[in-house]
Amino acid sequence: GNASIMQRPNIRIPASITWDPSVPWWQALLSPIIGIMAACLVFKGNCEEGYHCIKGVTLIASCTGAWVVSTALHLCVLNFVIPMFGKSLPEEDPCAGATFSDLAHRVPCSWFTANPVHCLRSRHVYHHSPPCSYFELGREKYMRPNPKIGVFYEESAKE
């Protein structure tokens, strides 16, 4: 029941959520940090036994060059290679003209049903009847609709 939601130590992302690899903006933020790691590798590898030993401005230029090349390479891979493996967008939106209630009849996970705090408030604060059912992948058959509060999904409605 809803009481078990409060006892969970962590918040899980449902397995049905997928990230679009064609827009890796959050990975691009890591590019300069990975560049710093490349610069540190050049710095720490300098003057090792049996290898080259550079000092002064040449060492700074080498570390800076490693940062620039690594950052640029990472951004190029993110912008040109990764999108080749992503899904292409459909030419026509299959959900064009559909309302929230139309989609919520078919898809059990929505902002309302995936939010445990919303489900608990529905039951204990607002005393909805039936309250908003918490979405858990594989347990959709236990969800009960209540159109007044924006919960429309029913297992029998699924095709």
Side-chain angles (χ1 to χ4, degrees):
N2 284 334
S4 66
I5 294 171
M6 294 171 51
Q7 297 170 355
R8 293 192 180 132
N10 60 356
I11 296 173
R12 297 179 301 143
I13 296 174
S16 60
I17 293 177
T18 56
W19 300 103
D20 184 7
S22 65
V23 187
W25 62 268
W26 50 275
Q27 289 183 354
L29 295 176
L30 294 173
S31 296
I33 296 167
I34 293 173
I36 289 172
M37 293 183 343
C40 290
L41 185 65
V42 168
F43 183 79
K44 290 298 282 182
N46 188 37
C47 294
E48 286 291 321
E49 193 175 320
Y51 291 100
H52 62 283
C53 189
I54 54 177
K55 296 180 187 210
V57 177
T58 311
L59 178 59
I60 293 170
S62 298
C63 291
T64 304
W67 182 86
V68 168
V69 168
S70 175
T71 302
L73 181 65
H74 190 223
L75 289 172
C76 287
V77 167
L78 289 175
N79 288 324
F80 301 113
V81 177
I82 300 296
M84 291 191 295
F85 298 102
K87 294 180 182 178
S88 59
L89 295 175
E91 290 185 25
E92 213 174 289
D93 185 6
C95 298
T99 64
F100 173 78
S101 63
D102 294 336
L103 295 174
H105 274 92
R106 293 181 285 145
V107 181
C109 186
S110 71
W111 186 89
F112 300 108
T113 60
N115 184 342
V117 174
H118 180 77
C119 295
L120 288 171
R121 260 194 313 234
S122 172
R123 175 175 291 236
H124 299 291
V125 176
Y126 299 118
H127 304 288
H128 292 139
S129 180
C132 180
S133 302
Y134 181 65
F135 169 76
E136 286 187 85
L137 196 59
R139 298 180 54 96
E140 297 90 352
K141 63 184 175 186
Y142 299 113
M143 295 178 71
R144 293 180 294 164
N146 186 345
K148 289 186 220 168
I149 62 172
V151 179
F152 299 94
Y153 182 78
E154 254 188 298
E155 181 73 30
S156 59
K158 190 175 181 181
E159 296 177 17

